[in-house]
């Protein structure tokens, strides 16, 4: 004899569709990034008045790990890869990683899956923070003038 549950006709509660919830955010983020690239292409950060300066540099007189980033994006949007690399080598190397993470997040969201990556593990995150701190210090030392923007 088969035993049938009284509640067999009830279904499990539907999970919210994560893809529907997050894909608009991914589209907005992509649109904002595209708009920022258009602004970076049109407004030369080497000319005064287009962008605010680095507050860390203004307060301390030292380059932060992000100094040169705006000019890097400007150089990249104009196809000047060598200049872009010279302005902030660390950011230049990280741009493909950031692009990969954005594409992965969008693809996983479309599949309704949470974003997971080995890059989010604590050891990797702490190592990255350590690299940023060391890079920020070293690029201000006299022997590492090649890292300065």
């Amino acid at each position: 004899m088969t035993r049938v549950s009284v509640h067999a006709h009830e279904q499990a509660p539907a999970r919210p569709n994560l893809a529907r919830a997050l894909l608009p955010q991914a589209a907005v983020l992509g649109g904002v990034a595209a708009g920022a690239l258009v602004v970076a292409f049109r407004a030369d950060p080497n000319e005064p008045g287009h962008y605010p300066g680095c507050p860390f540099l203004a307060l301390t007189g030292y380059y932060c790990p992000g100094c040169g980033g705006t000019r890097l994006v400007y150089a990249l949007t104009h196809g000047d890869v060598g200049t872009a690399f010279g302005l902030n080598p660390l950011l230049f190397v990280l741009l493909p990683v950031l692009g990969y993470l954005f594409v992965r997040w969008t693809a996983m969201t479309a599949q309704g899956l949470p974003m997971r990556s080995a890059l989010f593990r604590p050891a990797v995150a702490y190592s990255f923070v350590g690299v940023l701190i060391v890079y920020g210090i070293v690029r201000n030392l006299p022997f590492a003038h090649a890292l300065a923007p």
Side-chain angles (χ1 to χ4, degrees), residues 73-138:
V73 173
Y74 178 80
L76 281 179
T77 60
H78 286 85
D80 194 352
V81 177
T83 299
F85 180 79
L87 290 167
N88 193 322
L90 181 63
L91 180 58
F92 184 87
V93 170
L94 288 176
L95 283 176
V97 175
L98 296 172
Y100 160 77
L101 287 173
F102 177 74
V103 170
R104 181 173 168 92
W105 173 66
T106 304
M108 292 187 81
T109 299
Q111 297 171 14
L113 300 172
M115 175 60 176
R116 291 194 177 113
S117 174
L119 297 174
F120 295 155
R121 292 192 176 135
V124 176
Y126 290 133
S127 298
F128 177 69
V129 170
V131 166
L132 284 179
I133 291 169
V134 169
Y135 178 72
I137 292 170
V138 170

Side-chain angles (χ1 to χ4, degrees), residues 10 14 17-18 35 38 47 54 60 64 68 83 86 104 121 125 137 142:
E10 293 180 17
N17 189 338
L18 194 60
V38 168
E47 295 177 11
C54 174
T60 66
C64 75
T83 299
R104 181 173 168 92
R121 292 192 176 135
I137 292 170

